[in-house]
Amino acid sequence: MRNRVVILLVAITLIVAMVACSASSLLARKPEATSTPTKTPKPTFTATFTPTATPVPTDTPTPTPTPTFTPTPTDTPVPTDTETPTPEPTNTTAPTRRPTARPAPTATKKPAPTNPPAPQYPFRMVLQQNWPNCGSSGIKVFFKTRGGQPFPGMQFAVYAGGGCVGLASWANQMDGSTDFILSPDRARGGTWEVQAVETANGEDGQAGCGAITKVMSARITVTTVDSPCDTKSAGVQWVYLTLQEN
């Protein structure tokens, strides 16, 4: 038992001695200088070119552009100042009233065609010719059928101032003509009316005026003059009429 106590004491003594040595060594150690940390520079990246294999270009045909037509500019004439003449004012009468718009015509039903009326007389005049003549004056009538052939046996009466002067004789067979003498020996002027007529027995001259039985045409007015009467003049001493059957 006594040995154990001695051993314990020795152990305690050793421990205390060790602690004391340790403390003295800590106290005797000088403080070390603390190094100030420095900034670590950030690393920089430098681009490094790595060569790569470039493909060899191939011969590609280049498309030929299509030519386009460019019009050649032409010389445009420079307009020149042209003096425009001012029209002279005219005296124009201003309308006093505006025209009224007429209404649009309305469709009307046309009547059915009818036959033309029959002519009032059997004969009508179709031609007149004037002739100069210093030796006589008169009126001659040619009677024609519808077809233009001579129509013999017709007569005509001559009127002046509304009264009957006389009748011509019957028309002949050759050309269907007959005449009435106004003056047998000189040019005679006057205004006359000629009308185709019929008589019972072909009376002519002054006596025939009272023997007219039927009027065959309308009265036709003609004029004769005393002068001029030369052959190549415009005088009228003889009048030729053509009456045609309707």
Side-chain angles (χ1 to χ4, degrees), residues 39-46:
K39 273 187 178 181
T40 304
K42 293 183 180 181
T44 59
F45 298 94
T46 303

Side-chain angles (χ1 to χ4, degrees), residues 37-227:
T38 60
K39 273 187 178 181
T40 304
K42 293 183 180 181
T44 59
F45 298 94
T46 303
T48 303
F49 176 75
T50 304
T52 57
T54 303
V56 179
T58 59
D59 294 335
T60 304
T62 304
T64 304
T66 304
T68 57
F69 175 74
T70 304
T72 304
T74 58
D75 294 335
T76 304
V78 179
T80 58
D81 296 334
T82 304
E83 183 179 355
T84 304
T86 304
E88 296 182 0
T90 57
N91 296 326
T92 304
T93 305
T96 56
R97 185 177 63 181
R98 282 187 173 183
T100 306
R102 296 183 179 179
T106 56
T108 56
K109 187 177 180 180
K110 293 183 179 180
T114 57
N115 294 327
Q120 185 177 1
Y121 300 104
F123 286 85
R124 71 185 188 282
M125 186 190 72
V126 296
L127 180 64
Q128 177 176 342
Q129 295 172 296
N130 300 323
W131 302 95
N133 192 324
C134 294
S136 64
S137 296
I139 300 170
K140 188 171 186 176
V141 175
F142 296 86
F143 289 95
K144 302 292 182 181
T145 64
R146 293 185 185 91
Q149 302 301 318
F151 195 113
M154 290 298 301
Q155 293 177 268
F156 68 90
V158 177
Y159 300 87
C164 180
V165 176
L167 271 67
S169 60
W170 278 333
N172 61 44
Q173 297 283 343
M174 294 179 59
D175 56 3
S177 67
T178 182
D179 54 29
F180 183 85
I181 304 299
L182 297 174
S183 173
D185 54 6
R186 64 180 179 85
R188 180 182 179 184
T191 299
W192 321 93
E193 290 181 318
V194 180
Q195 187 175 43
V197 295
E198 285 186 351
T199 60
N201 301 307
E203 290 86 353
D204 57 7
Q206 183 67 40
C209 290
I212 297 173
T213 58
K214 189 175 182 180
V215 173
M216 302 296 287
S217 74
R219 290 191 182 186
I220 303 159
T221 302
V222 298
T223 302
T224 58
V225 296
D226 295 331
S227 63

Side-chain angles (χ1 to χ4, degrees), residues 8-28:
L8 181 61
L9 288 174
V10 173
I12 293 170
T13 302
L14 289 174
I15 294 169
V16 169
M18 291 176 66
V19 170
C21 288
S22 298
S24 61
S25 63
L26 290 171
L27 292 173

